[in-house]
Amino acid sequence: MNKFKYIFIGTVFVGLVFATGLVTFPNSLFIIPNSFFANSVSAQTESIAIIRPDCANKSIPSATCYNSLFDWEAGENRDLVASNEIAIAQIEGSWTAPDTTAVTIEGWTTDAAHYIKIYTTEEARHDGKWNEGKYRIIVAAYNGSVNVITDYVKISGLQIENTSTGGGPKAAITYRTSPTGSHHWIDSSIIKSEGYGLYGDDMSGDSRELNAWNNLIYNCFIGIRWKNRDNDILNIHSNTIVDCSSGISLSLYGSNDSLSLKNNLAYNCADGFAFTS
């Protein structure tokens, strides 16, 4: 028999319909600090690269600057353990046009002390609702607009959309080929997609960890989709999922998994929370 450890606290499914469409969520929605899941040890060197449309106005004159997340990944990919670094992608500036190239984060060497952090500064971060003047990556992709394969990647404050109507997961963000023992963080982001919001299916590795908190996910087929293997750890806290066929869908195929779902809201979803084994 499969063995699971569950924590469900304050997880809510609301099946009403807004007469005026999608609700606007205030900044107070994103109230859990980034340190909530901070379980890694700082390395000695933080290597900051900047992503912005106009590199002439970058905030750190000595920093390497890129115009897209794809270009940053291609230009900065390296062994962070050997170089004793934390790689930080600092997204800043005013974004009148979106980032339109899908990115796959893979091939890096990382560990708990030498990780990747991708985040938006206040200047480029949304204000609690989708904002066309802030950083957003919008792609029509078969897999994901953002695909995370490398271990120890932390994402905070992005707007991510996949507009594909064709086949495939067509997810905003995927973790589908992440390796055994991998660790992932995503917080304070706004996610929408014609397919999946956050997608972690079709994976064969065990002992994977997902920490997803304070995200707004809407207009998706499934908001959060994850297939558990053995010894997985899922911390899914304080996410708001709106206007999706299913809010959170978990396939519980593993054993000795630790699942913590707290304070999640599924609003106007046909099936708020679906669990199969």
Side-chain angles (χ1 to χ4, degrees):
M1 179 180 295
N2 292 342
K3 299 179 180 179
F4 303 99
K5 293 175 282 185
Y6 299 96
I7 303 176
F8 296 91
I9 300 176
T11 297
V12 179
F13 167 51
V14 180
L16 301 178
V17 179
F18 283 118
T20 57
L22 182 66
V23 67
T24 295
F25 291 87
N27 287 336
S28 59
L29 173 66
F30 305 102
I31 57 175
I32 298 180
N34 289 346
S35 59
F36 187 77
F37 291 109
N39 59 357
S40 58
V41 179
S42 295
Q44 293 186 2
T45 304
E46 290 187 346
S47 177
I48 300 175
I50 290 172
I51 303 171
R52 60 179 297 149
D54 52 338
C55 286
N57 295 315
K58 61 186 179 180
S59 63
I60 304 173
S62 61
T64 304
C65 184
Y66 303 91
N67 299 127
S68 71
L69 192 57
F70 175 89
D71 289 342
W72 166 84
E73 200 281 335
E76 297 293 315
N77 194 313
R78 60 190 183 277
D79 185 337
L80 297 178
V81 177
S83 61
N84 193 32
E85 292 176 301
I86 298 170
I88 298 178
Q90 179 173 298
I91 303 173
E92 59 182 42
S94 176
W95 291 79
T96 56
D99 188 344
T100 57
T101 305
V103 60
T104 299
I105 302 168
E106 66 176 331
W108 300 66
T109 301
T110 60
D111 62 21
H114 308 87
Y115 54 87
I116 298 167
K117 177 182 177 181
I118 303 168
Y119 84 105
T120 51
T121 64
E122 183 177 358
E123 182 185 19
R125 184 170 293 214
H126 60 79
D127 52 356
K129 61 183 184 298
W130 190 271
N131 190 323
E132 294 290 337
K134 304 297 184 178
Y135 177 81
R136 60 215 181 276
I137 180 168
I138 303 176
V139 182
Y142 179 89
N143 285 316
S145 298
V146 177
N147 304 280
V148 179
I149 298 175
T150 292
D151 197 2
Y152 294 104
V153 176
K154 304 182 179 186
I155 296 173
S156 180
L158 274 61
Q159 297 181 122
I160 309 171
E161 181 178 8
N162 192 333
T163 60
S164 175
T165 57
K170 46 184 180 290
I173 181 166
T174 72
Y175 299 96
R176 63 185 305 187
T177 55
S178 59
T180 293
S182 57
H183 309 76
H184 309 291
W185 293 260
I186 180 167
D187 75 273
S188 307
S189 295
I190 300 180
I191 295 168
K192 55 181 177 176
S193 173
E194 293 293 329
Y196 297 88
L198 188 156
Y199 187 73
D201 212 340
D202 299 336
M203 295 183 291
S204 58
D206 297 328
S207 304
R208 292 165 298 116
E209 178 182 348
L210 172 67
N211 301 291
W213 73 102
N214 279 351
N215 299 292
L216 170 59
I217 305 172
Y218 66 101
N219 289 354
C220 300
F221 171 52
I222 296 177
I224 297 176
R225 169 65 180 159
W226 195 267
K227 180 185 289 184
N228 283 66
R229 298 291 180 174
D230 293 341
N231 303 305
D232 278 4
I233 299 173
L234 268 65
N235 296 304
I236 302 175
H237 298 172
S238 302
N239 299 284
T240 299
I241 304 170
V242 180
D243 290 338
C244 298
S245 295
S246 182
I248 298 175
S249 175
L250 304 180
S251 292
L252 309 175
Y253 295 147
S255 60
N256 297 314
D257 295 309
S258 177
L259 311 179
S260 173
L261 278 70
K262 299 180 181 180
N263 299 324
N264 297 290
L265 169 67
Y267 187 96
N268 198 30
C269 299
D271 191 354
F273 303 94
F275 306 95
T276 60
S277 60

